[in-house]
Amino acid sequence: FFSSFFLVFRLCRAFSPCATPMADKISPLAQPFSLTKSQYNQSTFPGRFRHFLDVADPRCLLPSLFFGMSLDESVKIMASYKAQTLPSNFPTEKLWLAKKIKQAAIHPDTGDTILPPARMSGFAVFGTPIIVGMLLPNPSLLGVVFWQSMNQSHNALVNYANRNASHPVPVRSILEGYAGAVVASVSIAVGLNEAVKRASLSHTARAVLSRFVPYPAVASASTANMLLMRRTELSTGIHVHDAEGNVLGTSQAAAREAIKQTAITRVVLPFPLLVFPPLIMMTLDKLRLFSAAPRLRMPIEAAVCATAFVFGLPFALAVFEQEATLPVTALEPAFQGLRDSNGQEIKTVFFNKGL
């Protein structure tokens, strides 16, 4: 696993603009420094992809080693910026780097330091062994239950640690979402594995199909987890605001759209993690790469899974904008005919779709 993580860190260094010469090549996507806005244009897929690539960058787990800036230093820089005590010629690139390191480790609502396994930047590092475990060929019943439970436990830990603490979710909803996800993932994985074993297929065909069982199990469980935890939004609605940031009220229509987009994201997310690695490994098997050196299989599979994790997560999260929009005509009657501070009729509303 150490070799696979080293490869991931090298790939992140190549694709991340922070502290690399790549910054000059991606300037069209970059934005002036802001405490509240992203460094990249969120109205485009490439901009959103680069944003979430920064959010999930595993190098933020050891920022002193990879960036030459500690977490404490990044916190101090951000505090000095807020207090307007930084020198006027302080490098903008260093401000973005400090913001990236701080946001990767400090909860924005509580100010608490998030444990490394629960950080988005640690998702690939701590999730890769679980993905490798789920993709092992010919899994036993105990193995399926163990790895699916481990995956949902890790997901629950990340979801809770990165929750919106300004609108806390009841503990009961969290436990229901976790239990529902574990039951869904285990039952679907076990059911599909049993179906594959009983099917009139060759041994090779069974082995191939069993490698793809984790995807529908994880996608279904992740979606079930989200629906169980956010089902109250369908009745209470979520806040919507205008282009100036003024809250206009709560909308059930916006809640339905937010949950729909999030559900699609949850289905897309496991695809590059649980479909591409088996395809790649089966291709390498056909090339007989591991015949002469079977010990290379595990580190290579770990490297493939880790790479898919690092780039698949930002890809899935970038499918939709984090701040979604809806035309007023798609909302409830109470939102029709509203005007902004300039007296202009509001035609579009904005809302946070969630993750």
Side-chain angles (χ1 to χ4, degrees):
F1 289 117
F2 286 114
S3 62
S4 67
F5 295 149
F6 176 76
L7 172 62
V8 169
F9 289 134
R10 295 288 295 181
L11 288 169
C12 286
R13 182 175 179 82
F15 280 85
S16 175
C18 291
T20 72
M22 287 289 289
D24 295 334
K25 300 180 182 179
I26 61 164
S27 56
L29 295 176
Q31 304 291 313
F33 182 75
S34 170
L35 283 172
T36 57
K37 295 182 179 180
S38 172
Q39 184 178 2
Y40 307 106
N41 185 354
Q42 295 298 283
S43 65
T44 67
F45 178 82
R48 294 194 296 272
F49 178 78
R50 296 305 296 269
H51 168 74
F52 285 113
L53 195 62
D54 266 2
V55 170
D57 190 344
R59 294 177 300 165
C60 290
L61 294 172
L62 299 170
S64 297
L65 176 62
F66 291 101
F67 299 121
M69 179 187 294
S70 67
L71 175 59
D72 290 339
E73 185 181 355
S74 70
V75 172
K76 291 178 181 178
I77 291 174
M78 288 293 94
S80 298
Y81 178 83
K82 289 182 180 179
Q84 299 182 346
T85 58
L86 286 176
S88 58
N89 62 345
F90 195 85
T92 301
E93 295 81 5
K94 199 169 183 179
L95 285 173
W96 283 118
L97 178 59
K99 180 183 177 182
K100 169 180 174 174
I101 294 171
K102 180 188 175 184
Q103 288 187 336
I106 305 297
H107 194 286
D109 296 328
T110 65
D112 296 332
T113 301
I114 302 172
L115 294 174
R119 299 176 190 175
M120 292 300 291
S121 58
F123 207 47
V125 174
F126 295 96
T128 294
I130 299 173
I131 295 296
V132 173
M134 287 195 295
L135 293 176
L136 291 174
N138 303 315
S140 64
L141 176 61
L142 181 61
V144 170
V145 173
F146 175 77
W147 288 115
Q148 290 291 342
S149 299
M150 283 290 293
N151 182 53
Q152 294 306 323
S153 298
H154 183 228
N155 289 342
L157 177 65
V158 173
N159 290 338
Y160 178 77
N162 295 276
R163 70 197 183 283
N164 185 339
S166 62
H167 294 84
V169 177
V171 175
R172 180 179 176 179
S173 296
I174 295 174
L175 294 177
E176 287 177 350
Y178 170 69
V182 171
V183 171
S185 63
V186 171
S187 59
I188 292 173
V190 171
L192 289 177
N193 273 316
E194 288 300 315
V196 169
K197 289 178 182 178
R198 296 177 183 180
S200 300
L201 300 170
S202 65
H203 176 74
T204 302
R206 286 196 186 96
V208 170
L209 286 176
S210 68
R211 296 294 297 269
F212 295 98
V213 165
Y215 171 67
V218 171
S220 301
S222 181
T223 304
N225 177 289
M226 184 272 297
L227 291 174
L228 285 169
M229 293 188 65
R230 297 181 59 179
R231 66 186 186 278
T232 57
E233 294 179 11
L234 295 173
S235 57
T236 62
I238 59 175
H239 288 304
V240 297
H241 60 85
D242 60 17
E244 299 172 328
N246 301 311
V247 176
L248 303 175
T250 57
S251 168
Q252 294 176 331
R256 288 193 295 270
E257 182 64 21
I259 289 177
K260 182 187 76 174
Q261 292 186 11
T262 305
I264 294 173
T265 300
R266 295 296 180 97
V267 172
V268 173
L269 177 56
F271 188 88
L273 313 181
L274 297 172
V275 175
F276 288 158
L279 289 174
I280 294 172
M281 294 305 295
M282 286 189 292
T283 301
L284 295 178
D285 282 335
K286 290 181 179 179
L287 298 176
R288 301 187 182 280
L289 178 66
F290 305 117
S291 299
R295 291 184 179 182
L296 288 177
R297 169 178 284 278
M298 184 60 72
I300 289 179
E301 185 162 8
V304 170
C305 290
T307 304
F309 228 130
V310 168
F311 296 107
L313 177 63
F315 176 86
L317 295 178
V319 171
F320 297 105
E321 291 187 55
Q322 184 61 35
E323 187 174 61
T325 62
L326 268 181
V328 171
T329 53
L331 302 181
E332 295 83 352
F335 296 96
Q336 311 302 318
L338 296 179
R339 298 184 180 276
D340 59 22
S341 60
N342 297 319
Q344 300 295 319
E345 184 177 355
I346 298 174
K347 297 183 178 180
T348 304
V349 297
F350 304 82
F351 56 92
N352 187 342
K353 72 172 182 63
L355 291 177

